[in-house]
C-alpha cells in the first residue's frame, strides 16, 4: 500500500502551491520522505510520519473523517479533474425558419447531465475551478436540404482540434447522432474515418449503435439507422463485441435502452475526455449518473494513440413500464455496465 499525497493535494487544488519543502516544514517530516509521498513511491510508512501528515492536512481543510484513507484511495476522475477547467460540449440543434432566423435549442436531457455532473464535481472536489459549456452546431432539416451538413462537420473538426490542445477536462454529452464531437472522438480513438458508415466488421471498434428510427439520416463511423452488415439482426440497440462474439443490447421505447461511455486520459493527466453516448437522451443521462456514482468502473486502462489511455464501456439499462410519471425518466430499474476491450 502506497501513499499518493500528490493526488490528494490535486483534489484539493494545492498541488502547485505546496512543494516538498513547505510540506516537510509544516508537517515536521523529512523532505525526502515527503517527496516520496508526493510521487507515490514510498515503500514504507512510519506511523509517526502518517500521524503528522494527517494533522497537517487537517490544517489545509482536508476533512479529518476522510483521513488517512483518502491518502491511499484516490478516484482517478476526481483526482484528474481537480484544479483543472471543465468544459461541457453539447450538441446544439439548429433549424432555419426563414431567410433571417434560425431556431436553436439543446435537449433537456443534455442540460440535466450538465447540471448533475456539475453538482457532483462541486461535492467531490474543491469549488475553485472554471466550468464552461460549448455548443456544437447540428442543423436539422426534413431531408430536402443538407447544405449545412459540411459546414457543421467543418466546425466540429475545428472545435475538436481545439479540444486536443485543451489542458483540462472535456465532457461530451450525446451520441454521434446528437453531438459531432463524440463522432470525432470515436474516429480518433479507433482510427476510423468520421461520418462514414462501416461496411464490414473491423477489428478494434467493439460497438455499433443502431439508433431508433426518427426519419433522419445518420452518417457515423460507429452507427446508423440500420443494423450492422456483419450481424443478422437489424433491431435498434447497441451491438457490441464481448466474450469473442457480437451481442445485442436491445432498445425498446418503454423498457430497454443502452449507452456507451468513453474515457480518455493523457499519461501526464493534463487532459481528460469523457463522452456519454446514449441511444436516446434518457440513456445518455442514465450513463452520466452511473459514471458520477462510481467513476472507477470506467477508468481508462487500454493503450491508445498519442500517449493516452482510454476505456470503453456499455451500459445496459432496463426500466419499469408501470411506474408513475412522478418518477424521473432517467431512473433505471437496472443498470449493468460492461467493460469492452477492443
Amino acid at each position: 500500500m502506497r501513499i499518493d499525497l500528490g493526488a490528494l493535494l490535486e483534489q484539493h487544488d494545492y498541488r502547485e502551491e505546496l512543494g516538498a519543502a513547505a510540506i516537510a516544514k509544516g508537517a515536521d517530516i523529512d523532505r525526502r520522505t515527503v517527496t516520496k509521498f508526493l510521487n507515490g513511491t514510498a515503500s514504507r510508512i512510519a506511523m509517526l510520519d502518517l500521524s503528522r501528515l494527517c494533522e497537517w492536512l487537517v490544517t489545509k481543510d482536508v476533512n479529518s473523517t476522510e483521513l488517512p484513507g483518502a491518502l491511499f484511495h484516490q478516484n482517478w476522475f476526481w483526482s484528474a479533474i481537480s484544479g483543472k477547467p471543465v468544459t461541457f460540449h453539447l450538441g446544439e440543434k439548429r433549424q432555419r425558419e426563414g431567410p433571417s432566423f434560425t431556431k436553436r435549442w439543446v435537449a433537456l436531457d443534455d442540460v440535466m447531465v450538465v447540471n448533475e455532473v456539475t453538482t457532483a464535481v462541486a461535492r467531490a472536489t474543491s469549488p475553485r475551478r472554471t466550468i464552461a459549456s460549448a455548443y456544437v452546431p447540428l442543423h436539422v432539416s426534413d431531408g430536402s436540404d443538407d447544405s449545412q451538413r459540411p459546414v457543421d462537420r467543418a466546425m466540429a473538426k475545428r472545435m475538436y482540434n481545439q479540444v486536443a490542445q485543451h489542458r483540462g477536462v472535456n465532457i461530451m454529452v450525446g451520441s454521434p447522432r446528437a453531438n459531432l464531437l463524440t463522432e470525432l472522438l470515436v474516429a480518433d480513438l479507433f482510427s476510423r474515418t468520421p461520418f462514414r458508415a462501416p461496411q464490414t466488421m473491423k477489428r478494434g471498434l467493439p460497438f455499433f449503435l443502431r439508433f431508433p428510427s426518427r426519419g433522419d439520416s445518420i452518417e457515423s463511423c460507429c452507427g446508423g439507422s440500420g443494423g450492422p452488415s456483419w450481424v443478422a439482426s437489424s433491431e435498434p440497440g447497441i451491438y457490441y463485441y464481448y466474450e469473442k462474439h457480437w451481442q445485442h443490447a436491445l432498445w425498446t421505447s418503454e423498457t430497454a435502452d443502452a449507452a456507451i461511455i468513453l474515457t480518455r486520459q493523457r499519461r501526464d493527466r493534463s487532459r481528460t475526455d469523457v463522452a456519454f453516448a446514449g441511444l436516446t437522451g434518457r440513456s445518455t443521462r442514465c450513463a452520466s449518473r452511473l459514471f458520477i456514482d462510481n467513476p472507477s468502473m470506467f477508468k481508462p486502462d487500454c493503450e491508445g494513440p498519442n500517449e493516452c489511455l482510454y476505456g470503453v464501456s456499455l451500459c445496459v439499462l432496463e426500466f419499469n413500464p408501470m411506474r408513475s410519471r412522478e418518477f424521473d425518466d432517467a431512473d433505471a430499474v437496472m443498470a449493468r455496465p460492461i467493460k469492452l476491450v477492443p
Side-chain angles (χ1 to χ4, degrees):
M1 183 178 293
R2 297 176 186 268
I3 282 181
D4 192 353
L5 177 59
L8 179 61
L9 293 178
E10 278 189 6
Q11 183 171 337
H12 290 269
D13 294 344
Y14 290 128
R15 186 66 175 89
E16 296 180 1
E17 300 175 16
L18 299 172
I23 297 171
K25 182 178 180 180
D28 192 20
I29 302 173
D30 182 79
R31 179 174 176 174
R32 290 169 296 181
T33 300
V34 171
T35 300
K36 292 179 180 179
F37 287 167
L38 286 170
N39 297 332
T41 58
S43 58
R44 296 181 180 180
I45 307 168
M47 292 304 297
L48 180 60
D49 288 341
L50 181 60
S51 175
R52 288 175 175 175
L53 181 59
C54 290
E55 290 175 359
W56 176 82
L57 286 168
V58 170
T59 69
K60 298 301 177 182
D61 297 326
V62 177
N63 193 328
S64 61
T65 62
E66 298 177 2
L67 296 170
L71 283 164
F72 299 97
H73 305 289
Q74 283 298 303
N75 182 292
W76 74 273
F77 183 68
W78 302 133
S79 175
I81 209 171
S82 294
K84 298 182 179 67
V86 179
T87 304
F88 291 92
H89 302 270
L90 300 93
E92 181 186 71
K93 298 292 182 63
R94 299 183 180 184
Q95 187 172 35
R96 289 182 174 179
E97 295 188 351
S100 59
F101 179 73
T102 300
K103 182 170 66 174
R104 305 182 182 192
W105 71 96
V106 175
L108 177 60
D109 281 311
D110 293 355
V111 175
M112 294 303 297
V113 168
V114 174
N115 291 342
E116 292 171 0
V117 175
T118 299
T119 300
V121 167
R123 289 175 178 172
T125 63
S126 169
R128 294 185 296 169
R129 73 184 66 259
T130 301
I131 297 180
S133 295
Y135 300 95
V136 187
L138 181 63
H139 285 80
V140 297
S141 68
D142 58 5
S144 60
D145 180 13
D146 291 330
S147 61
Q148 289 297 314
R149 184 171 293 180
V151 178
D152 291 343
R153 292 176 179 177
M155 173 64 76
K157 289 179 180 179
R158 287 195 295 270
M159 295 180 69
Y160 187 79
N161 290 336
Q162 293 173 357
V163 166
Q165 305 301 318
H166 178 228
R167 295 179 63 87
V169 179
N170 302 288
I171 299 176
M172 303 168 193
V173 183
S175 71
R177 183 182 207 169
N179 190 333
L180 300 185
L181 285 196
T182 303
E183 169 76 6
L184 293 169
L185 174 62
V186 173
D188 193 11
L189 281 177
F190 299 103
S191 302
R192 298 293 181 263
T193 301
F195 313 115
R196 182 179 297 177
Q199 299 302 314
T200 59
M201 183 185 71
K202 296 182 179 180
R203 294 184 62 185
L205 181 63
F207 62 89
F208 182 96
L209 291 87
R210 196 302 204 183
F211 294 100
S213 298
R214 288 199 314 226
D216 55 337
S217 61
I218 305 167
E219 295 177 347
S220 169
C221 67
C222 62
S225 53
S229 59
W230 55 89
V231 298
S233 174
S234 62
E235 294 296 316
I238 295 182
Y239 295 82
Y240 61 102
Y241 191 73
Y242 186 66
E243 296 182 340
K244 298 184 178 181
H245 66 278
W246 283 89
Q247 303 184 43
H248 182 210
L250 183 67
W251 173 88
T252 64
S253 60
E254 291 187 350
T255 61
D257 213 329
I260 292 290
I261 296 179
L262 293 166
T263 55
R264 179 174 65 178
Q265 187 175 58
R266 287 190 59 85
R267 286 191 174 276
D268 61 5
R269 297 196 293 185
S270 63
R271 191 183 80 239
T272 301
D273 304 321
V274 179
F276 305 122
L279 290 169
T280 64
R282 174 181 65 175
S283 55
T284 293
R285 190 173 169 198
C286 275
S288 72
R289 287 183 170 181
L290 281 175
F291 181 86
I292 60 180
D293 283 346
N294 191 357
S296 296
M297 291 193 300
F298 308 98
K299 182 178 181 179
D301 50 17
C302 295
E303 293 287 343
N306 302 319
E307 294 296 315
C308 289
L309 297 173
Y310 74 94
V312 52
S313 298
L314 167 72
C315 300
V316 181
L317 309 166
E318 294 182 8
F319 301 88
N320 181 358
M322 304 303 294
R323 66 187 174 180
S324 166
R325 290 183 179 272
E326 295 178 0
F327 283 83
D328 191 327
D329 194 44
D331 284 327
V333 173
M334 194 277 283
R336 179 166 56 97
I338 301 173
K339 192 93 169 183
L340 305 181
V341 180

